Amino acid sequence: MKRSEIRQAQARALGYFEKAGIVLTDEEKGRIEIADFGLNDLESQGLEILTYVNTERCCAKELVMFANQACPEHMHPPVDGDPGKEETFRCRWGEVFLYVDGPPSETINTEPPSEWCRVRKEIHLKPGDQYTLKPGVKHWFKAGPEGAVVSEFSTRSRDEADIFTDPGVERLPEIEED
Amino acid sequence: MKRSEIRQAQARALGYFEKAGIVLTDEEKGRIEIADFGLNDLESQGLEILTYVNTERCCAKELVMFANQACPEHMHPPVDGDPGKEETFRCRWGEVFLYVDGPPSETINTEPPSEWCRVRKEIHLKPGDQYTLKPGVKHWFKAGPEGAVVSEFSTRSRDEADIFTDPGVERLPEIEED
């Protein structure tokens, strides 16, 4: 991604934090992570992430999702004796549709952003709703038409270890200065 | 505590959640924990707690503190091979003064609620500010004059294992139906 695109997406993400009533420090505002997963289509597949804390033992993040934006299908494998990341998503604002491995829902309420988003057990999260994912469960999620703000409470995040279904994903993409 | 006092404190806590813009489900509203630590003086020493998730590995809670309410000094010891609870406090609304073991501050900005609140290294948290406590560090904290809403991100909570400085504290008090 270009630096200018990142700055623009950060500014948009701030608007969502404001709508959700979530206060950030100036330092935090400047380090919102813009993840396009190397797919170069941020509007369709991307996330805006503020990591509050990520120690050896636990992690908390706030995720902003633009309207209809999706996080591609992935899972968190065991790493170095750790059984893998366990995470709870709690919707704070807007709505999000979470898809997890398991018996598929009869119908789903969003269009998958790519052929690589395959699991079909749908969980609909509105503000105040949450869902806990055990390690190793494949999942993807997509915001509703207004976008969403989602808190993530988890064990340590090791983003570099995540396994994405789409072989084209690069979780930690390069930034091009412009 | 009497059941009627608990209901009243839950209703007050809901007002703080609303002011902080935090949405709860109806199920959550009915299970806000009112902790008076067995000291029978909720206004001075108490906490209103909503636990979002508490698994073997990680935990997230929202804490409401009434105006000038304090959580008594305590620490989280190692338990069964676990090194003890590590926790991050993030102020969402209002302000909170956190006191931790370490070189004492020259002056502190609140009146300790009892002689048992003894550590004096002050950290002032306003909305967006946070602080991470390693296991075993003694701490107590007190809301400012408007009260506070504080997110807690941590490893597993084992409230029954917490060690309070005040020998009169009972972390899990009995409820008297009235």
Side-chain angles (χ1 to χ4, degrees):
Chain A
M1 291 187 81
K2 292 185 177 167
R3 178 70 67 191
S4 57
E5 291 173 306
I6 290 174
R7 293 223 173 94
Q8 201 172 26
Q10 286 176 327
R12 279 176 70 192
L14 288 180
Y16 284 83
F17 280 113
E18 273 170 35
K19 282 192 272 196
I22 293 171
V23 181
L24 308 185
T25 64
D26 287 341
E27 183 271 330
E28 290 171 337
K29 289 176 186 175
R31 64 171 173 84
I32 296 171
E33 179 190 356
I34 308 301
D36 79 345
F37 302 97
L39 298 172
N40 211 20
D41 186 8
L42 184 70
E43 294 302 311
S44 169
Q45 294 187 77
L47 276 183
E48 295 68 47
I49 305 164
L50 178 64
T51 300
Y52 290 142
V53 60
N54 187 23
T55 72
E56 274 301 315
R57 301 173 70 199
C58 60
C59 178
K61 299 178 180 181
E62 217 79 71
L63 311 177
V64 166
M65 305 182 77
F66 299 150
N68 302 305
Q69 198 180 34
C71 174
E73 184 175 289
H74 65 285
M75 55 86 95
H76 307 289
V79 180
D80 295 340
D82 178 304
K85 187 185 180 200
E86 172 196 299
E87 59 194 6
T88 296
F89 295 114
R90 182 178 178 89
C91 182
R92 300 292 195 166
W93 184 90
E95 61 180 334
V96 64
F97 296 86
L98 172 64
Y99 300 94
V100 304
D101 207 359
S105 301
E106 282 192 23
T107 58
I108 67 169
N109 287 287
T110 72
E111 186 68 33
S114 87
E115 59 169 316
W116 305 102
C117 288
R118 294 172 177 174
V119 298
R120 288 284 184 278
K121 181 180 170 188
E122 183 181 81
I123 296 128
H124 183 195
L125 301 176
K126 298 176 295 300
D129 295 333
Q130 65 180 47
Y131 190 84
T132 299
L133 277 164
K134 292 292 168 192
V137 177
K138 278 188 191 170
H139 58 286
W140 61 279
F141 47 102
K142 183 169 176 176
E146 284 194 295
V149 180
V150 177
S151 295
E152 182 188 298
F153 314 125
S154 74
T155 57
R156 179 177 176 81
S157 274
R158 291 179 171 87
D159 295 336
E160 68 288 357
D162 293 349
I163 297 174
F164 285 82
T165 307
D166 181 348
V169 163
E170 290 175 48
R171 176 62 186 87
L172 304 175
E174 287 181 6
I175 298 172
E176 181 189 336
E177 303 295 340
D178 65 341
Chain B
M1 292 188 78
K2 292 183 178 168
R3 179 69 67 189
S4 57
E5 292 173 305
I6 290 174
R7 294 222 172 96
Q8 201 171 26
Q10 286 176 327
R12 279 176 71 192
L14 288 181
Y16 284 83
F17 281 113
E18 275 170 34
K19 281 192 273 197
I22 294 171
V23 181
L24 308 185
T25 64
D26 286 342
E27 183 271 330
E28 290 171 336
K29 289 176 184 174
R31 64 172 173 84
I32 297 171
E33 180 190 355
I34 309 300
D36 79 345
F37 301 96
L39 298 173
N40 211 20
D41 186 9
L42 184 70
E43 294 301 311
S44 169
Q45 294 188 77
L47 276 183
E48 295 69 47
I49 305 164
L50 178 64
T51 300
Y52 290 141
V53 59
N54 187 23
T55 73
E56 274 301 316
R57 299 173 71 199
C58 61
C59 177
K61 299 178 179 181
E62 216 77 72
L63 311 177
V64 166
M65 305 182 76
F66 299 150
N68 302 304
Q69 198 180 35
C71 174
E73 185 176 289
H74 65 286
M75 56 87 94
H76 307 289
V79 179
D80 295 338
D82 179 303
K85 186 186 180 200
E86 172 196 298
E87 58 194 5
T88 296
F89 294 114
R90 181 178 178 89
C91 182
R92 299 291 196 168
W93 183 92
E95 61 180 332
V96 65
F97 295 87
L98 171 64
Y99 300 93
V100 303
D101 207 0
S105 302
E106 282 192 23
T107 58
I108 66 168
N109 287 288
T110 72
E111 185 69 34
S114 86
E115 59 170 314
W116 305 102
C117 288
R118 295 172 177 173
V119 296
R120 288 284 183 279
K121 181 180 170 187
E122 184 181 82
I123 297 128
H124 184 195
L125 301 176
K126 298 177 293 300
D129 295 333
Q130 64 180 48
Y131 189 85
T132 299
L133 276 163
K134 292 291 167 191
V137 177
K138 277 187 191 171
H139 57 286
W140 61 280
F141 47 101
K142 183 170 176 175
E146 284 196 294
V149 179
V150 178
S151 294
E152 183 188 297
F153 314 124
S154 74
T155 57
R156 180 177 174 82
S157 274
R158 293 180 170 87
D159 295 337
E160 67 289 356
D162 293 349
I163 296 174
F164 285 81
T165 308
D166 181 348
V169 164
E170 290 175 48
R171 176 61 186 89
L172 305 175
E174 287 182 6
I175 297 171
E176 182 189 335
E177 302 296 340
D178 66 338

